[in-house]
Amino acid sequence: VDAPDLCSSIKWEARHQKICNEDDQVEFEKVNYEQYGFTVQTPTSWQPHDVTSVMYDPDEVQEYHQIVALWFSNDPDIWNTDEAGFLLQMIDYGESQQKVDARTYLEAAFISGCDGTPDEFGYVCSNARVTGYEENGNKAEIKFVLKEKADVYSQFETVILKIVYVQEDRIDYWLMFGDTPSDFALYSVLYDHIGDTFAVTQSGGGCLIATAAFGSEMAPQVQFLRELRDNTVLQTQSGTSFMTGFNQFYYSFSPAVADYERENPAFKEAV
């Protein structure tokens, strides 16, 4: 991805060698998380770090079927504001969810919670307002401007927060990009590419081969398999353990089989 403004502005900094090549481009790689049901392109130097235990306490994790928070950056410390990166969260509710009005939901989640009240660590957020919103199908993108300070010793600073929110049948995905206005402007070319390339490959541990065979996740045969998994197999500890191992095996080959089904009608019919 061409990023001349970003690369020239950090040319004499150490992070330039981590992010930019000699042509002022940022090299990306496609990351495929079959176990979480998505693919995304990220800068090659931004490694994924599991920060679930940092973002959520054990009681919160127990409320969901599965929850994962991944911090993509050069630095595993999500609180290090000197390094750019983004947070990707997957929340699996374990059962089908009714689609919500994305704008109303996101505004309620962030504006109401950004009321100037410090948390237990002294972090304060205030004066949040929406500056942009787009929606396309089950994917929504919203941008906030807000004031925040990291702790009681810090000063308030203006921050731009961009959220890409994707609703699937039983899973929500959140991509969160936040920075000061000057840094956000520099890194926006990367943030936009990451958001644009994020794609869901399966819905909540979806039946990829059956979905490709019958043409839709809503086909009766696919819904039968999903309900069998969710309402029978996953209702026991042994069944959950089995599915964990099975998913690692199944998703190692099912995307290729599903792609071949879509390319070869005769094979699709046979399946």
Side-chain angles (χ1 to χ4, degrees):
V1 173
D2 292 326
D5 292 339
L6 169 63
C7 294
S8 61
S9 70
I10 62 172
K11 197 170 189 64
W12 308 113
E13 300 180 28
R15 57 179 169 164
H16 181 275
Q17 293 182 342
K18 298 178 182 178
I19 298 176
C20 302
N21 63 22
E22 59 184 13
D23 297 320
D24 283 346
Q25 295 176 324
V26 177
E27 296 181 2
F28 280 75
E29 64 178 340
K30 183 178 181 180
V31 183
N32 189 358
Y33 280 93
E34 293 167 354
Q35 68 271 43
Y36 303 138
F38 71 86
T39 63
V40 64
Q41 290 186 22
T42 63
T44 53
S45 64
W46 287 9
Q47 298 301 308
H49 308 280
D50 191 331
V51 294
T52 309
S53 61
V54 177
M55 302 296 298
Y56 299 94
D57 62 43
D59 290 338
E60 289 179 302
V61 173
Q62 293 296 322
E63 295 178 6
Y64 304 99
H65 178 69
Q66 184 180 26
I67 188 166
V68 175
L70 300 174
W71 169 244
F72 289 82
S73 176
N74 292 321
D75 191 325
D77 183 4
I78 191 173
W79 309 120
N80 181 6
T81 57
D82 293 331
E83 288 286 351
F86 74 98
L87 180 67
L88 195 157
Q89 298 184 84
M90 181 209 77
I91 301 177
D92 184 345
Y93 296 96
E95 59 185 12
S96 298
Q97 299 290 303
Q98 183 175 359
K99 185 178 179 181
V100 300
D101 180 85
R103 177 161 188 164
T104 301
Y105 175 57
L106 293 170
E107 287 184 356
F110 286 89
I111 293 182
S112 62
C114 199
D115 60 359
T117 303
D119 66 12
E120 58 182 312
F121 304 106
Y123 170 83
V124 181
C125 169
S126 66
N127 300 329
R129 58 186 177 86
V130 177
T131 60
Y133 181 80
E134 295 181 7
E135 186 172 346
N136 183 14
N138 65 341
K139 187 175 185 178
E141 180 180 305
I142 194 167
K143 190 179 290 184
F144 297 93
V145 172
L146 52 94
K147 298 282 188 180
E148 70 173 16
K149 63 175 184 175
D151 51 50
V152 294
Y153 305 105
S154 304
Q155 299 295 318
F156 275 103
E157 64 178 355
T158 300
V159 171
I160 295 177
L161 175 64
K162 172 182 172 179
I163 300 171
V164 177
Y165 174 58
V166 180
Q167 299 181 71
E168 288 293 315
D169 177 53
R170 51 179 267 194
I171 292 179
D172 286 348
Y173 296 95
W174 302 69
L175 287 77
M176 305 176 70
F177 312 88
D179 239 321
T180 61
S182 58
D183 280 351
F184 192 95
L186 290 175
Y187 282 94
S188 62
V189 63
L190 306 190
Y191 298 158
D192 290 345
H193 185 76
I194 293 166
D196 291 343
T197 60
F198 177 84
V200 176
T201 57
Q202 45 92 6
S203 179
C207 308
L208 301 190
I209 295 175
T211 299
F214 294 104
S216 170
E217 289 186 348
M218 303 311 295
Q221 298 89 340
V222 180
Q223 292 192 62
F224 169 78
L225 292 174
R226 185 186 300 117
E227 290 170 2
L228 177 65
R229 178 198 62 195
D230 295 347
N231 299 331
T232 303
V233 180
L234 290 176
Q235 296 307 307
T236 65
Q237 185 63 46
S238 59
T240 301
S241 299
F242 166 77
M243 286 304 302
T244 299
F246 175 78
N247 283 342
Q248 292 179 343
F249 168 69
Y250 177 76
Y251 291 115
S252 68
F253 66 86
S254 59
V257 174
D259 287 342
Y260 189 64
E261 285 184 86
R262 286 185 281 267
E263 296 167 1
N264 190 316
F267 178 69
K268 174 182 175 180
E269 183 64 28
V271 172

